[in-house]
Amino acid sequence: MIVHTVAELRARRRALPGSVAFVPTMGALHDGHRELIRTAREAADHVVVSVFVNPLQFGEQADLDRYPRTLEADAAVCAAEGVALVFAPSVDEVYPRPLEVSVSTGRMGEIVEGAARPGHFDGMATVVAKLFGMVRPDLAFFGQKDAQQLAIVRRLVADLDFGIEIVAVPTVREPDGFALSSRNRFLSPEERKTGLALSRALFAGREAVSEGPEAVLAAAQPVLDEAAKAEPALRLDYLVLADPATFTPVAPGHRGPAVLAVAGRVGATRLIDNLPLEF
Ligand code: PAF
């Protein structure tokens, strides 16, 4: 069942007995999304999926314009996965008037990925807050692939008392390790080959985990340096070891959990990836 307005969504949502799990997406669904939906189905009586390409979280108009929109195929994926309700609103439905009030993600939204994409996390958190208010789920499912987004959504829910359980779902990878993303479809075979350096760098870093944070970064960096010399080249934005809850880079000698996160561009496509580690 696909609905396009908030009024239809609310009416259908009210009629769902039992618990509701929510999977917010921007569409172009792939196996990573299927994994989110399957995990959500196991946890609740019904799953609601939103498909909305949120203009507020895009810095560049060109990136927003070229973001894949595949609603028919997305609806088919949701039907096959037993989703109760797909909410696919227009931009005017979500933003019927200019916002006076929106979510500020503060310092957490300005560091690491936020430094490369100013305003991105405020836009993301604002639409997630709006979608939570529209869907009113009991639980919501987010991919570990967007680790900083996950950390910020957890703080959004904790700091603003949404009373929604946030569940993280591990990243789904292709057999060679490449993390699934809706943007992968833009990569030429040569660009994909260069982009594989992101996951290879993370795996190289993980090999050094017993030697501490500095050794992890030192093991990952050469893989990225090599890709920076390839044709087409990787243009690295960052390689960082961050606290998974705050995304602050960890201090040398850090003990406990950390996320090794990497981002860069190949051609016109921006790629991100990360691995959770324990020191
Ligand atoms: O991860 C995404 O696809 C988006 O950032 C989200 C959570 C659907 C908000 O637009």
Side-chain angles (χ1 to χ4, degrees), residues 24-26 52 54 57 124 127-128 142 146 149:
T25 82
M26 297 207 298
F52 178 63
N54 174 34
Q57 68 188 75
M124 179 282 295
V127 84
V128 167
F142 289 82
D146 294 292
Q149 167 171 285

Side-chain angles (χ1 to χ4, degrees), residues 21-32:
F22 177 41
V23 180
T25 82
M26 297 207 298
L29 302 184
H30 50 66
D31 283 353

Side-chain angles (χ1 to χ4, degrees), residues 5-278:
T5 66
V6 178
E8 285 173 282
L9 170 72
R10 289 212 163 114
R12 299 271 174 199
R13 161 64 181 104
R14 266 198 300 272
L16 294 176
S19 57
V20 167
F22 177 41
V23 180
T25 82
M26 297 207 298
L29 302 184
H30 50 66
D31 283 353
H33 295 108
R34 277 187 193 263
E35 191 59 27
L36 287 171
I37 295 169
R38 285 176 190 164
T39 314
R41 275 205 66 190
E42 282 167 20
D45 296 316
H46 307 282
V47 176
V48 176
V49 171
S50 64
V51 174
F52 178 63
V53 182
N54 174 34
L56 231 58
Q57 68 188 75
F58 285 80
E60 296 161 27
Q61 184 66 36
D63 191 26
L64 172 62
D65 290 345
R66 86 171 190 144
Y67 200 85
R69 285 152 170 97
T70 60
L71 185 55
E72 219 173 292
D74 296 342
V77 168
C78 289
E81 295 297 339
V83 168
L85 216 47
V86 178
F87 177 46
S90 66
V91 172
D92 286 345
E93 184 69 17
V94 175
Y95 300 112
R97 58 196 164 268
L99 292 176
E100 281 290 346
V101 177
S102 59
V103 177
S104 165
T105 56
R107 190 201 54 85
M108 267 183 97
E110 286 167 6
I111 56 177
V112 191
E113 181 71 6
R117 302 182 70 188
H120 166 70
F121 285 122
D122 284 357
M124 179 282 295
T126 298
V127 84
V128 167
K130 282 172 73 69
L131 290 168
F132 283 171
M134 293 167 182
V135 177
R136 301 196 175 274
D138 301 292
L139 311 98
F141 290 72
F142 289 82
Q144 172 66 40
K145 161 103 185 336
D146 294 292
Q148 192 170 356
Q149 167 171 285
L150 173 66
I152 289 173
V153 169
R154 285 194 193 284
R155 282 307 291 259
L156 171 77
V157 165
D159 290 353
L160 301 185
D161 292 299
F162 277 88
I164 295 168
E165 186 185 335
I166 302 301
V167 183
V169 178
T171 303
V172 178
R173 298 181 181 278
E174 294 187 40
D176 62 2
F178 210 107
L180 296 193
S181 161
S182 303
R183 287 188 163 91
N184 290 357
R185 67 190 68 198
F186 296 134
L187 297 170
S188 69
E190 296 73 26
E191 288 172 339
R192 190 189 180 286
K193 209 169 150 200
T194 298
L196 191 59
L198 267 66
S199 55
R200 284 183 43 241
L202 298 178
F203 299 147
R206 184 173 58 188
E207 289 295 303
V209 77
S210 63
E211 295 158 56
E214 289 90 339
V216 164
L217 291 169
Q221 189 65 51
V223 181
L224 302 168
D225 293 344
E226 197 59 36
K229 289 185 236 142
E231 185 51 53
L234 170 70
R235 300 191 308 286
L236 184 68
D237 275 340
Y238 58 80
L239 170 71
V240 71
L241 255 177
D243 181 308
T246 63
F247 250 75
T248 309
V250 302
H254 167 84
R255 308 291 299 170
V259 179
L260 181 60
V262 64
R265 271 175 201 273
V266 186
T269 306
R270 190 151 187 286
L271 299 170
I272 63 171
D273 199 356
N274 71 83
L275 272 187
L277 299 176
E278 183 69 35

